[in-house]
């Protein structure tokens, strides 16, 4: 009788000890699953963002595409940069960013050429009162410098 009571007490002690050891492991597992879920959501956001960027480029909405690229890059660098399997995703975002910049530059140049062909040269008055013809090329160069400095300062 005493031996049965001791064995029952021993079994309950083992069960309580094992349950006490499983609680921290289960808690750590729960934290790991939550972190994995957050990473997967970040991956999903970046991949969906890449598809949305392509759709914006098809609609020729370049500024929205640049904004979305910067958001996707931020998420990638802050949350996904350490994942080796996603290294290609970061390169793809950089490539898409370069393509958008190149398309915008080409579009800007073509619009400037069209504008130059259809509008007369503008004149400005200098401090001496003389009228001076402003070169469209100078206007394009100053506008492009401004736009490029604005774009690259926001990155």
């Amino acid at each position: 009788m005493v031996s049965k009571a001791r064995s029952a007490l021993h079994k309950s002690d083992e069960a309580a000890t094992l349950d006490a050891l499983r609680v921290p492991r289960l808690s750590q597992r729960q934290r790991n699953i939550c972190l994995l879920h957050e990473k997967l959501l970040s991956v999903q956001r970046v991949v969906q963002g890449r598809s949305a960027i392509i759709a914006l480029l098809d609609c020729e909405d370049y500024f929205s595409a640049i904004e979305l690229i910067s958001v996707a890059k931020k998420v990638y660098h802050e949350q996904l940069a350490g994942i080796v399997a996603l290294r290609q995703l970061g390169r793809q975002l950089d490539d898409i960013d370069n393509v958008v910049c190149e398309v915008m530059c080409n579009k800007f140049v073509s619009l400037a050429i069209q504008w130059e062909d259809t509008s007369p040269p503008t004149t400005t008055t200098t401090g001496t009162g003389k009228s001076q013809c402003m070169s469209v090329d100078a206007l394009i160069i100053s506008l492009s410098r401004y736009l490029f400095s604005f774009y690259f300062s926001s990155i």
Side-chain angles (χ1 to χ4, degrees):
M1 177 86 145
V2 173
S3 67
K4 287 183 181 180
R6 284 184 180 170
S7 68
L9 183 61
H10 182 66
K11 285 181 184 179
S12 68
D13 282 346
E14 282 182 9
T17 304
L18 289 177
D19 286 344
L21 292 175
R22 286 177 37 201
V23 168
R25 278 191 234 143
L26 290 174
S27 175
Q28 181 64 38
R29 183 175 180 195
Q30 182 181 13
R31 281 192 299 268
N32 289 343
I33 289 173
C34 287
L35 288 172
L36 177 62
H37 183 259
E38 289 175 17
K39 293 283 184 186
L40 289 175
L41 286 177
S42 296
V43 169
Q44 182 182 19
R45 271 184 265 148
V46 170
V47 170
Q48 286 176 347
R50 188 179 58 180
S51 301
I53 290 166
I54 292 169
L56 288 170
L57 291 177
D58 289 340
C59 297
E60 296 184 0
D61 188 359
Y62 303 114
F63 291 107
S64 296
I66 287 175
E67 186 176 328
L68 196 54
I69 290 170
S70 67
V71 169
K73 279 182 167 184
K74 183 178 179 183
V75 169
Y76 174 78
H77 288 298
E78 288 178 357
Q79 300 173 4
L80 305 174
I83 301 174
V84 176
L86 297 177
R87 200 176 300 156
Q88 187 67 24
L89 186 61
R91 290 186 198 124
Q92 288 175 356
L93 289 172
D94 290 336
D95 291 343
I96 291 171
D97 192 20
N98 292 336
V99 166
V100 170
C101 184
E102 186 175 326
V103 167
M104 285 180 68
C105 290
N106 290 339
K107 196 76 155 169
F108 178 74
V109 168
S110 68
L111 289 173
I113 290 171
Q114 286 176 356
W115 180 74
E116 183 179 30
D117 290 340
T118 60
S119 66
T122 57
T123 58
T124 59
T125 306
T126 62
T128 61
K130 292 182 180 177
S131 182
Q132 197 176 36
C133 184
M134 178 183 265
S135 166
V136 174
D137 295 332
L139 180 64
I140 292 171
I141 290 171
S142 62
L143 274 173
S144 62
R145 283 183 184 159
Y146 170 74
L147 290 173
F148 279 44
S149 67
F150 176 75
Y151 173 71
F152 288 113
S153 68
S154 65
I155 293 180

